[in-house]
Amino acid sequence: MTGVQLIAISTLILILLPIIVLEWEQRNVPNWLYLLLGAAGIAFTLTSRGLGGAIVSLAAGIAILLLLAGAIAYMRRTWKLRLLSGGQIKLMAAGAAWLGPVGTALMLSLAILLFVISVIFLRIRKKAVLRPDSEAIAAIAILIVQVHQGLAT
């Protein structure tokens, strides 16, 4: 893992922390934090993979934003089911911009797996709150994939 990758992971953690803390405190996360997360990811992609990689990462972020927003809107209208909030969608889109297309697929897979595992544990423990903390799950998935990508290079 290079110095730039270590700085990228540190920056990722520093940007994710206030997002998670604000969500735990049930306060609104300002949009500029999500924008900062995505922009920092694209900037680090630019330094490591060049302009082409940065454009692909930007496209991944926009694609995930549109796909998740569309899918959630469809589910909410059709089945009266709300799986993700706007903040969670923005967090995943910013993570996609950070991770690129392959990392995005890993992030989504890991987020779904962690969400299902947490629901199972909450049901086993018979907690009154049966909805896991999706922001923390998404942040953990983003961080794990970023560390994995850093170790792979």
Side-chain angles (χ1 to χ4, degrees):
M1 191 176 300
T2 67
V4 171
Q5 291 165 334
L6 290 172
I7 292 170
I9 291 171
S10 301
T11 303
L12 177 62
I13 292 168
L14 287 174
I15 298 171
L16 284 174
L17 277 175
I19 292 172
I20 299 305
V21 170
L22 286 170
E23 286 293 338
W24 281 341
E25 293 176 348
Q26 296 179 347
R27 295 170 50 195
N28 287 336
V29 177
N31 287 331
W32 64 264
L33 264 176
Y34 298 118
L35 185 60
L36 177 64
L37 178 62
I42 292 168
F44 280 110
T45 302
L46 182 63
T47 62
S48 62
R49 295 190 196 117
L51 182 60
I55 291 170
V56 169
S57 287
L58 176 62
I62 292 170
I64 289 300
L65 180 66
L66 295 174
L67 288 172
L68 285 179
I72 296 303
Y74 175 79
M75 285 186 234
R76 189 168 188 180
R77 185 181 37 152
T78 305
W79 300 314
K80 308 291 187 246
L81 181 64
R82 183 175 176 204
L83 294 177
L84 297 174
S85 69
Q88 295 160 343
I89 293 169
K90 288 183 270 188
L91 177 60
M92 294 252 215
W98 190 287
L99 301 170
V102 174
T104 298
L106 290 171
M107 172 194 66
L108 291 174
S109 301
L110 188 57
I112 290 168
L113 178 67
L114 291 171
F115 185 82
V116 169
I117 289 171
S118 63
V119 166
I120 291 169
F121 279 117
L122 287 172
R123 296 223 184 249
I124 288 172
R125 296 184 68 201
K126 295 183 171 67
K127 288 283 186 180
V129 177
L130 293 177
R131 189 170 179 183
D133 188 1
S134 300
E135 288 84 6
I137 290 171
I140 290 167
I142 293 167
L143 186 59
I144 288 172
V145 173
Q146 176 61 35
V147 169
H148 169 54
Q149 286 180 337
L151 292 173
T153 56

